[in-house]
Amino acid sequence: MTSLRAAIVLAWLAASVGLAQTFRTGIAGVHVDVLVTEGDRRITDLTSENFELRDNGVLQVIQSVVPDEGPISMMLALDTSTSVDGATLVRLKQAVHAAVTALAPTDRVALLTFSSAVNLRSDWSAASQSTFEAIAGINAAGTTSLYDGLFSALTMRDALPGRRALLVLFSDGVDTSSWLPARAVLDRARRSDAVVYAVSLRQPRHESRLEYRSGVDLWSTAPKPGPQPFIVEIAQLTGGNAFITTRPDRLHEAFARVIEEFRSRLLLLYTPRGVDTRGWHEIDVRLKGRKGTVRARRGYIR
Amino acid sequence: MWISTDDVNLNRHARRLFGLLGVLVLLELSLPATGPEQETRSYEQLVDAYRDRDPTAAQRIARLSQTELAAAVESITSARPDDRSTVIDLCAASILHTDASLILVKEKKDSDAQFHLNTAIALMDAAIVRSPDHAAFARRWRIVVAGLLHAYGASAWAEGLESGAGGDPDARAEHARSIRAFERGLTSEIQGAMAGDVSGPSRPLAGRFPRAAQAPLLAAAREYEGVLAADPRFAEAALHLGRVRMILGHHDAAVTWLTHAAAGEKRGRVLYLATLFLGSIAERQGQHDDAERHYRAALTEYRWGQSAAFALVQLLSRLGREDEARSILTEHFQRTRGQVVEPLWTYLAQPGEQPGRSLNELRAEIWR
């Protein structure tokens, strides 16, 4: 089993090299990162027999299921608009500090904030004094360029290969000042292998779909936003989760849960059969013979 | 040849003499210049520091002697076009004195504040004389500063600034009428934008174009067309008319007016936004090469914004040019370090409505 895992990891690494901007596919197959829960309990003792996976509606053979234990690259994308100022900002910094502290020595972190302006405060590195100083130096003022910020966070993915991409998004509101529309972000997320976890301080409302600050719709094939709030949609699209709280003192718990969940994910491997190789592939992963909820990204582009 | 002892003695004396002269020359060169030349150089260095975003420059100039300042300003405004100070330097100096004036207004030092405001006006007028292309920049400056003066309770000065555009009373009256018509157009454009927003009080730029927005957008277009009929050089009106036509789906007219705006202003905020909007029209029409060209031009023209960078990065990413996209985004973050001045943020602000942000846009146009 150890040699099999090693072979799978090697295949996974080989597939990841040079494909930093695409979902993890390659000649070795498609890797689908999933989280299985039953209520609050995370389920990890699963095999390929416990899953049913369809690629564009075609049932696939799952070759392996292993814990997804690769080193993490965590991008923190934090809303620092005026409404975050005060007690919320204090709690946010504490929560982020703790989340960074919980990373392993082989993990890496980057910090990006968005209010009116989007600012990459700390580029990719192992957690260090400068990371914590960047967190401490955050202040809150301005409007909310959520879409610009999230698009930037997805684009500034860690260039080092063979790493699991986690994007933790914090926002307390809706977009009010981005140039890019929500559709551009959803399109970018489709072409990324990052799993987005969203932490929101209030119940995200269904904001108006302000597609484009110029007033012009984008190309017709871009994904159209669904009926749910954007931050919930982006999390679901990428196989992540959205944690919503109304209390700033619960932010610490929410960020901790993100890290715990991300460490509890499984990696499914399959080689697509009977489906076109190019374009968007819709993925549907279900449990078989076990109770629970599966979170997996909705698809990938090949 | 042999040198005689007498020659040696003579040469020794000569060497001493020349050596002494050399020391005196070096001493003269190393000593700071005194008098008006030194004051002018010090003043120019302060303007340079301001262009390099020195946050103390305005406070420093506010504390200098008015007599020395007046002499230095006289020197650079009367300089020939090929002299050291460029038009941008004159504009930068004007805004520097504007900042000093506003500091002093807040400190209730009215006499000193008025001196700096008058100096700012003289510098901006000198800039227009040297380069009539900067008239639009000067007009924006007047509107923005008047807004700030109103906010600080110096309304008499604000009105003087608003009515002082150009020396001809008829021209000033025409200018005032154009501004009023532009404001009416902008009010309608905002109503059209709000019709696209169901979430509440923010002032977004309209997204998808609902029917409820059509009437106010058409009204906005009529006002802007009226402004341009009276004053074809009103680049900001052409910019807004272009965007309104774009939202209405009249792309050919939109391109015409946005191109007109870009050609009219040739620099700064209007050129940046017009080029950005031209890029988004091209992108929508699948003309990716044109879209890329426009986005790159916008990014080159105005280095302190962020929308052009995001527009270009998004396009390149979508076209599969990920490495390039990431490189541009990285360079943008390294250059701006969060200090972004984005003209889009004040696009739907009435003249004088967000004067702080608008003044920051003017500053960004003179930053190095």
Side-chain angles (χ1 to χ4, degrees):
Chain A
M1 190 52 121
T2 303
S3 60
L4 175 61
R5 281 192 184 180
I8 290 166
V9 169
L10 282 172
W12 169 71
L13 285 172
S16 298
V17 169
L19 293 172
Q21 298 301 321
T22 64
F23 187 66
R24 286 183 287 180
T25 71
I27 298 169
V30 177
H31 301 82
V32 184
D33 177 299
V34 305
L35 176 73
V36 183
T37 56
E38 187 177 4
D40 283 342
R41 192 171 67 89
R42 292 180 275 278
I43 305 173
T44 54
D45 59 334
L46 300 168
T47 68
S48 54
E49 299 301 314
N50 299 122
F51 290 98
E52 194 172 271
L53 186 151
R54 282 181 162 72
D55 184 325
N56 277 350
V58 178
L59 188 64
Q60 302 293 321
V61 173
I62 298 172
Q63 292 157 263
S64 68
V65 175
V66 296
D68 200 351
E69 292 173 331
I72 297 170
S73 285
M74 179 171 74
M75 167 65 82
L76 293 157
L78 309 178
D79 181 345
T80 54
S81 56
T82 300
S83 57
V84 176
D85 202 12
T88 299
L89 183 61
V90 172
R91 296 290 190 177
L92 175 63
K93 287 185 187 181
Q94 290 169 349
V96 169
H97 186 109
V100 173
T101 304
L103 294 176
T106 52
D107 296 336
R108 281 158 58 93
V109 62
L111 174 64
L112 178 145
T113 59
F114 56 91
S115 52
S116 315
V118 180
N119 186 13
L120 183 68
R121 290 180 182 261
S122 177
D123 209 339
W124 291 107
S125 70
S128 65
Q129 186 57 30
S130 65
T131 311
F132 294 115
E133 284 170 2
I135 295 168
I138 294 172
N139 51 17
T143 54
T144 309
S145 296
L146 168 61
Y147 303 150
D148 287 349
L150 191 48
F151 188 95
S152 298
L154 287 165
T155 302
M156 295 301 293
R157 186 207 189 280
D158 194 352
L160 284 190
R163 307 186 68 86
R164 304 175 59 205
L166 167 63
L167 196 162
V168 184
L169 167 68
F170 167 79
S171 179
D172 75 335
V174 300
D175 189 282
T176 57
S177 55
S178 285
W179 166 262
L180 294 173
R183 292 175 78 179
V185 185
L186 295 173
D187 179 73
R188 186 64 188 83
R190 277 182 161 193
R191 291 182 283 107
S192 167
D193 64 352
V195 178
V196 178
Y197 274 80
V199 176
S200 178
L201 192 55
R202 63 181 71 164
Q203 197 60 237
R205 61 186 189 277
H206 181 55
E207 70 271 23
S208 68
R209 296 300 179 179
L210 300 169
E211 287 295 324
Y212 208 172
R213 294 287 153 180
S214 71
V216 178
D217 260 357
L218 284 180
W219 62 107
S220 59
T221 56
K224 289 196 176 183
Q228 54 211 338
F230 172 78
I231 63 167
V232 174
E233 182 150 0
I234 192 87
Q236 291 182 352
L237 174 65
T238 60
N241 204 349
F243 299 118
I244 296 146
T245 179
T246 55
R247 291 169 49 181
D249 60 337
R250 302 294 294 271
L251 286 176
H252 192 288
E253 190 180 311
F255 274 81
R257 199 166 154 196
V258 167
I259 305 288
E260 286 163 16
E261 269 204 16
F262 198 66
R263 292 199 193 286
S264 305
R265 298 175 77 99
L266 300 169
L267 198 61
L268 277 59
L269 169 66
Y270 75 98
T271 301
R273 300 249 187 269
V275 292
D276 289 338
T277 54
R278 297 189 68 80
W280 175 250
H281 288 243
E282 190 91 15
I283 293 176
D284 180 23
V285 184
R286 296 172 193 236
L287 276 181
K288 206 169 57 172
R290 289 285 292 268
K291 281 187 185 174
T293 303
V294 179
R295 292 185 195 278
R297 63 186 308 111
R298 287 201 202 127
Y300 64 97
I301 289 180
R302 199 162 189 185
Chain B
M1 71 180 260
W2 292 100
I3 299 174
S4 72
T5 305
D6 285 345
D7 289 340
V8 169
N9 285 339
L10 178 62
N11 285 341
R12 187 178 299 131
H13 289 309
R15 284 199 298 275
R16 281 183 186 159
L17 181 61
F18 283 125
L20 184 59
L21 282 173
V23 167
L24 286 173
V25 168
L26 283 172
L27 198 60
E28 173 66 19
L29 289 173
S30 66
L31 282 173
T34 55
E37 170 122 3
Q38 181 213 352
E39 284 153 11
T40 302
R41 283 191 191 275
S42 297
Y43 180 79
E44 289 171 349
Q45 285 167 358
L46 199 48
V47 174
D48 280 346
Y50 185 66
R51 291 195 65 196
D52 289 331
R53 309 179 74 178
D54 182 338
T56 68
Q59 279 283 359
R60 285 155 60 195
I61 208 167
R63 313 300 166 202
L64 292 178
S65 145
Q66 290 186 14
T67 308
E68 289 172 3
L69 280 174
V73 169
E74 171 66 25
S75 173
I76 72 168
T77 53
S78 60
R80 294 188 303 279
D82 56 346
D83 280 350
R84 280 194 300 271
S85 298
T86 64
V87 173
I88 292 293
D89 289 325
L90 292 173
C91 293
S94 174
I95 300 175
L96 174 57
H97 281 281
T98 303
D99 280 343
S101 177
L102 294 171
I103 288 169
L104 292 162
V105 164
K106 284 192 272 188
E107 293 177 0
K108 309 282 187 215
K109 295 176 179 171
D110 288 355
S111 169
D112 292 336
Q114 189 155 39
F115 166 78
H116 282 282
L117 182 61
N118 289 340
T119 304
I121 292 170
L123 284 160
M124 196 59 77
D125 286 346
I128 298 171
V129 166
R130 202 178 288 190
S131 169
D133 283 349
H134 280 73
F137 180 87
R139 175 164 49 197
R140 275 193 286 133
W141 169 80
R142 281 182 180 275
I143 291 169
V144 165
V145 176
L148 281 163
L149 289 171
H150 276 300
Y152 294 158
S155 292
W157 292 356
E159 284 158 16
L161 201 59
E162 284 165 336
S163 63
D168 182 323
D170 288 341
R172 290 202 297 272
E174 184 60 46
H175 170 71
R177 278 194 291 273
S178 291
I179 292 291
R180 299 291 94 76
F182 177 78
E183 287 172 348
R184 288 194 300 271
L186 191 50
T187 299
S188 294
E189 187 177 352
I190 292 168
Q191 286 171 0
M194 293 298 284
D197 170 28
V198 300
S199 67
S202 67
R203 287 265 190 92
L205 297 178
R208 258 177 291 193
F209 159 51
R211 290 185 187 281
Q214 186 168 27
L217 288 175
L218 286 172
R222 283 193 295 273
E223 291 286 359
Y224 295 141
E225 283 163 355
V227 170
L228 287 160
D231 183 0
R233 297 166 307 164
F234 202 139
E236 192 94 22
L239 171 71
H240 281 258
L241 179 56
R243 183 180 165 272
V244 167
R245 287 296 177 199
M246 180 173 68
I247 295 174
L248 289 167
H250 309 154
H251 289 151
D252 288 346
V255 169
T256 297
W257 285 113
L258 291 171
T259 305
H260 179 90
E265 183 94 359
K266 293 197 183 70
R267 57 184 306 279
R269 162 194 172 78
V270 170
L271 179 58
Y272 171 80
L273 288 174
T275 311
L276 196 55
F277 294 156
L278 283 168
S280 63
I281 292 175
E283 183 169 1
R284 182 168 186 199
Q285 295 176 328
Q287 296 161 1
H288 298 145
D289 288 347
D290 286 344
E292 180 179 347
R293 180 170 52 81
H294 287 306
Y295 292 149
R296 285 189 186 276
L299 191 55
T300 302
E301 166 58 32
Y302 193 92
R303 298 169 63 244
W304 302 104
Q306 63 180 21
S307 294
F310 295 150
L312 179 59
V313 167
Q314 186 275 140
L315 176 66
L316 294 176
S317 174
R318 193 157 64 80
L319 296 177
R321 293 156 64 180
E322 292 291 355
D323 288 345
E324 248 181 295
R326 189 197 168 90
S327 173
I328 288 166
L329 195 56
T330 301
E331 195 275 334
H332 163 77
F333 285 135
Q334 287 172 349
R335 183 177 67 252
T336 60
R337 300 199 180 279
Q339 302 298 310
V340 172
V341 182
E342 172 55 54
L344 199 66
W345 297 338
T346 57
Y347 175 79
L348 282 184
Q350 286 284 6
E353 187 181 51
Q354 291 187 37
R357 256 187 173 166
S358 297
L359 184 58
N360 218 23
E361 283 177 24
L362 292 171
R363 292 189 192 104
E365 292 185 34
I366 57 88
W367 285 338
R368 272 194 264 259

